[in-house]
Amino acid sequence: MRFFDHNATTPLWAEAKAAWVEANEMHWLNPSSPYRSAAAVHAQLEQGRERLAVLFDVDPRRIVFNSGATEGNNAVFATWAKMLKATDRVVVGVTEHPSVLAAAERYFEGRIDWLPADPAGVVGPATAEWSDASAISVMAANNETGVLNPWQDWLAACRECGIPMHCDASQWIGKMPLDGLGNCDYVTGCAHKFGGPKGVGFLIMPEGSAVGLAGGAQERGRRAGTEDVAGILALVAAVEVADSKRLGCSDKHKMAFLAALEQSLPGVQVIGDRQHTLWNTVEIIMPQFKSARWIRALEKKACLVSAGSACSTGKQGTSHVLAALGVDADAAGRALRLSSGWETSAEDWEVLLGAILESFRELETDAAEPGSQVISI
Amino acid sequence: MRFFDHNATTPLWAEAKAAWVEANEMHWLNPSSPYRSAAAVHAQLEQGRERLAVLFDVDPRRIVFNSGATEGNNAVFATWAKMLKATDRVVVGVTEHPSVLAAAERYFEGRIDWLPADPAGVVGPATAEWSDASAISVMAANNETGVLNPWQDWLAACRECGIPMHCDASQWIGKMPLDGLGNCDYVTGCAHKFGGPKGVGFLIMPEGSAVGLAGGAQERGRRAGTEDVAGILALVAAVEVADSKRLGCSDKHKMAFLAALEQSLPGVQVIGDRQHTLWNTVEIIMPQFKSARWIRALEKKACLVSAGSACSTGKQGTSHVLAALGVDADAAGRALRLSSGWETSAEDWEVLLGAILESFRELETDAAEPGSQVISI
């Protein structure tokens, strides 16, 4: 299979698997147990935290390990709900991940100001009025379109206003440079987006109180529950691998693919400004045929692509991200998200191109056949 | 090492490790992705859910996978806070795990009635007035003492009153028969207590709404976030192994150990009614010397034992469980928790006995030596 859905999830790096297996053999004791052998496991956990802190250039005490981005994003708004005044409003980008949108709605119902996206999908400080904000949540890179938000500008603006900033960097980490990201007050990270295991992630946050799971002193009282040391060490191994491999990655193959695609398949529309997009991601609107038919046809040719966020699959209606970009429902129904990985080759992109062109001919033939019945999936 | 701290955590079963490794090789796609290969991963997830449902004899739709017991216990009280009236009171056993106590305090501050334990540590329906309750939380087996609560009686009583019952069965599952447990409205389970990986657990709950993580349709809308399919399949493999191995387990070796210990070390006190205790667990009050000194001395002789719940280690003060049983602070400071596993042998218990007796002589000698300085740890 040629896998073009790395924004949904990623295969586990060998290094991450090795770290998990080793931890379960060597460091499986409960790090809170009172004997020295358990203290050694606790030391492994703290060494993992320090390695991650080095990558982000933050104080290790700011890192809280958790079960993934959804928990991290929920914890940010739960913490703000406790920390801010009952009348305070939060400002949230319209293109955020569903877990940010839903957490904001749960904890700040009626007190959310939405930041619009510009026509290229970018959510920037210049695009909206937000001076009433008491806290801001803007993602680093969009999961569906790959569009990069100017989080550095947001951070500068938040510092000027003296309000906290949250950056969901789930899609940024492992693909883009980490420099400066740790300066955001809150940063969400998720292992399975960069080749780590599912079920583990982290939230960089200010020291001090936070509202995570209640019931234990773990993670400096900010997230109760026995620490998943094996998952955490696998996460750290994975981010180190991804952050190193990304140095050899660029959008070169993707750009060549897009140029060839646009030439061969007139009417294809590329979403966003392709210069300000993750190197691995592109969302395209196909000239004809629903996303689901494309996905099925391409899977038969051993190419896996997506229609949008895996998390919103199964939901009714148009992608909120495409809607925010002014894409109409009909066009949004023809969207494909292509997201490559650290080891995707020029050949993989060429195979995908061939598969798309061949699928197009087949779908056209199917449609032209009298009496052809397309079974909706 | 002879490991006598299985109530803190357990080593991973080979079957659980194999399931995790296989899932990360074969079933690593995001189960919510829109292609057939991902639907196959989703099917693996649902097969795991069905295998677990068979063990508990419940509708698979009642099972919500999560990150562990702490998340499960938090979700129960968050759900009740939303479901019950603002004046409704909940009833909670005094010997519950800290994650139940803290979640109850977070969501029902000032609206909690505490169920006392009898002198043997048992929290039963006859021991308290609880007719005002709108919901009840009573654990199946206590993590510190191993004392079994009559959850079957509680369930019958709750059915009579028409109120929901939560049973934290983290220490029961894998050690005791599962028959009837699924009839409780809410049941907490945690993989790393029965030889599964850390960071994964489940909550059996009524179908319908619940307050878990917000942001996605996973777990029928009750717990957002990409499902940790590998962790879940490892959890299911682990509970199957443990539930099968427990058939060959009994308290025989523990009882022989206790008889020999009481004969050789007069003044040892066994907590709880030893007939109504998990077969693997015993908490004892040593006649002399602080828990920490025993733990250190025994670790030097390759025996790992605990002073109480791993989760409360590092906290100041006496164990709330021992306090509830009327054990004074001085005696509680001399408590040791011994918890064996499914493969702990008669020889392991004999070695532990020898190590305790030898440690006692050494600690006595240390104490008798003029000028000996015990460094507090």
Side-chain angles (χ1 to χ4, degrees):
Chain A
M1 283 284 180
R2 316 273 172 168
F3 186 59
F4 282 93
D5 200 15
H6 286 79
N7 288 12
T9 196
T10 52
L12 197 64
W13 296 115
E15 292 83 346
K17 175 185 162 184
W20 192 90
V21 168
E22 185 190 292
N24 273 296
E25 277 164 17
M26 309 287 289
H27 316 300
W28 57 269
L29 294 172
N30 191 321
S32 299
S33 287
Y35 26 84
R36 285 194 177 172
S37 336
V41 175
H42 195 265
Q44 287 284 329
L45 168 64
E46 294 310 313
Q47 281 168 32
R49 196 187 311 275
E50 276 159 33
R51 281 158 62 195
L52 192 62
V54 165
L55 280 178
F56 283 91
D57 193 21
V58 297
D59 187 319
R61 289 172 294 186
R62 286 187 57 205
I63 297 173
V64 175
F65 290 110
N66 59 26
S67 69
T70 295
E71 182 178 337
N73 289 338
N74 275 255
V76 169
F77 288 92
T79 301
W80 285 352
K82 190 152 190 185
M83 193 177 92
L84 300 176
K85 288 199 291 283
T87 51
D88 281 350
R89 301 181 70 82
V90 295
V91 167
V92 179
V94 282
T95 61
E96 293 295 303
H97 187 270
S99 62
V100 165
L101 303 179
E105 296 278 10
R106 176 178 290 177
Y107 294 101
F108 286 88
E109 200 187 344
R111 296 190 286 143
I112 310 169
D113 294 316
W114 299 101
L115 292 167
D118 73 14
V122 177
V123 176
T127 57
E129 179 56 51
W130 52 276
S131 55
D132 284 348
S134 293
I136 283 186
S137 182
V138 175
M139 72 203 319
N142 186 268
N143 49 307
E144 278 189 50
T145 60
V147 167
L148 306 176
N149 286 329
W151 56 262
Q152 302 87 338
D153 298 347
W154 277 110
L155 179 56
C158 286
R159 284 287 168 276
E160 238 171 75
C161 304
I163 63 174
M165 175 183 170
H166 169 232
C167 184
D168 177 355
S170 300
Q171 297 289 349
W172 179 283
I173 296 165
K175 297 177 194 137
M176 301 291 285
L178 298 176
D179 310 62
L181 192 57
N183 293 331
C184 299
D185 303 283
Y186 299 80
V187 180
T188 300
C190 189
H192 80 96
K193 302 296 190 188
F194 49 70
K198 293 169 185 65
V200 61
F202 60 90
L203 180 63
I204 300 177
M205 61 187 315
E207 287 183 68
S209 70
V211 183
L213 297 174
Q218 293 94 344
E219 300 294 302
R220 305 172 74 85
R222 293 171 297 181
R223 202 272 186 179
T226 301
E227 302 92 336
D228 176 12
V229 177
I232 290 165
L233 293 178
L235 176 156
V236 174
V239 71
E240 287 174 347
V241 173
D243 195 57
S244 148
K245 287 200 188 268
R246 73 166 175 81
L247 298 172
C249 295
S250 79
D251 62 3
K252 189 175 62 176
H253 304 323
K254 180 184 80 176
M255 290 301 198
F257 160 87
L258 283 178
L261 180 70
E262 288 177 306
Q263 195 160 34
S264 316
L265 197 63
V268 161
Q269 183 195 344
V270 176
I271 298 294
D273 168 359
R274 63 192 85 180
Q275 302 306 320
H276 293 95
T277 302
L278 286 173
W279 54 264
N280 81 314
T281 310
V282 64
E283 188 156 34
I284 52 179
I285 309 289
M286 304 305 281
Q288 287 182 61
F289 310 118
K290 293 277 180 201
S291 311
R293 298 189 63 200
W294 281 104
I295 290 166
R296 182 64 52 89
L298 290 168
E299 185 170 17
K300 284 185 184 152
K301 300 186 199 318
C303 292
L304 295 182
V305 307
S306 172
S309 161
C311 298
S312 56
T313 302
K315 278 196 200 163
Q316 298 297 319
T318 303
S319 149
H320 72 285
V321 176
L322 291 179
L325 270 70
V327 177
D328 66 49
D330 183 60
R334 288 180 272 114
L336 292 183
R337 175 182 73 178
L338 316 174
S339 52
S340 64
W342 297 260
E343 295 180 331
T344 306
S345 64
E347 192 211 338
D348 292 323
W349 282 103
E350 284 157 18
V351 169
L352 176 63
L353 177 67
I356 288 176
L357 298 179
E358 205 180 326
S359 297
F360 184 65
R361 286 189 290 274
E362 291 171 7
L363 291 168
E364 272 193 317
T365 309
D366 284 358
E369 265 177 28
S372 78
Q373 290 290 325
V374 178
I375 293 158
S376 172
I377 52 166
Chain B
M1 283 284 179
R2 316 270 171 169
F3 185 60
F4 282 93
D5 199 15
H6 286 79
N7 289 12
T9 195
T10 53
L12 196 64
W13 296 114
E15 292 85 345
K17 175 184 161 184
W20 191 91
V21 168
E22 184 191 289
N24 272 297
E25 275 163 18
M26 309 286 289
H27 317 300
W28 58 268
L29 294 172
N30 191 319
S32 300
S33 286
Y35 26 85
R36 285 193 176 172
S37 336
V41 176
H42 195 264
Q44 287 285 328
L45 168 64
E46 293 310 314
Q47 282 168 31
R49 196 188 311 275
E50 276 159 32
R51 281 160 62 195
L52 192 62
V54 165
L55 281 177
F56 283 91
D57 193 21
V58 297
D59 187 319
R61 289 172 294 188
R62 286 187 56 206
I63 298 173
V64 175
F65 290 111
N66 58 27
S67 70
T70 295
E71 183 179 335
N73 290 338
N74 275 256
V76 169
F77 288 91
T79 301
W80 284 352
K82 190 154 189 181
M83 193 177 94
L84 301 177
K85 289 200 291 283
T87 52
D88 282 348
R89 301 180 71 81
V90 295
V91 167
V92 179
V94 280
T95 60
E96 294 294 303
H97 187 270
S99 62
V100 165
L101 304 179
E105 296 277 11
R106 177 178 289 178
Y107 294 102
F108 286 86
E109 198 187 346
R111 296 189 286 143
I112 310 169
D113 294 316
W114 298 102
L115 290 167
D118 73 13
V122 178
V123 176
T127 56
E129 179 56 50
W130 53 276
S131 55
D132 284 349
S134 294
I136 282 185
S137 182
V138 175
M139 72 203 319
N142 186 269
N143 49 307
E144 278 188 51
T145 60
V147 167
L148 306 176
N149 286 329
W151 56 262
Q152 301 90 337
D153 299 347
W154 277 110
L155 180 56
C158 286
R159 284 287 168 276
E160 238 172 74
C161 303
I163 61 174
M165 175 183 170
H166 169 231
C167 183
D168 177 355
S170 302
Q171 296 291 349
W172 178 284
I173 297 165
K175 296 178 194 136
M176 301 292 284
L178 299 176
D179 309 63
L181 192 59
N183 293 331
C184 298
D185 303 284
Y186 300 80
V187 180
T188 301
C190 189
H192 80 96
K193 302 297 189 187
F194 49 70
K198 293 170 185 64
V200 60
F202 60 91
L203 180 63
I204 301 178
M205 62 186 314
E207 288 183 66
S209 71
V211 183
L213 297 174
Q218 293 94 346
E219 300 294 301
R220 305 172 73 85
R222 293 171 296 181
R223 202 271 186 181
T226 300
E227 301 92 335
D228 175 12
V229 176
I232 289 165
L233 293 177
L235 176 155
V236 174
V239 72
E240 287 175 348
V241 172
D243 194 58
S244 148
K245 288 200 187 267
R246 73 166 176 81
L247 298 172
C249 295
S250 78
D251 62 4
K252 189 174 62 178
H253 304 322
K254 180 183 81 177
M255 289 303 199
F257 160 86
L258 282 178
L261 181 69
E262 288 177 308
Q263 196 160 34
S264 317
L265 198 61
V268 160
Q269 183 196 344
V270 176
I271 297 295
D273 168 358
R274 62 191 86 180
Q275 303 306 321
H276 293 96
T277 301
L278 285 174
W279 54 264
N280 81 314
T281 310
V282 64
E283 188 156 36
I284 52 181
I285 308 289
M286 305 305 282
Q288 286 182 61
F289 310 118
K290 292 277 180 200
S291 311
R293 296 188 64 199
W294 281 104
I295 291 166
R296 182 65 51 87
L298 290 167
E299 186 170 18
K300 284 184 186 154
K301 301 185 198 318
C303 291
L304 295 182
V305 307
S306 173
S309 161
C311 298
S312 55
T313 303
K315 277 196 199 163
Q316 297 297 319
T318 303
S319 150
H320 71 285
V321 176
L322 291 178
L325 270 71
V327 177
D328 66 46
D330 184 60
R334 287 180 272 115
L336 291 184
R337 175 181 74 178
L338 316 175
S339 52
S340 64
W342 297 260
E343 296 180 331
T344 305
S345 64
E347 191 210 338
D348 292 324
W349 282 104
E350 284 157 18
V351 169
L352 177 63
L353 176 68
I356 288 176
L357 298 179
E358 202 179 329
S359 296
F360 184 66
R361 285 189 291 274
E362 290 171 8
L363 291 168
E364 271 192 317
T365 309
D366 283 359
E369 264 178 29
S372 79
Q373 289 291 324
V374 178
I375 292 157
S376 173
I377 54 167

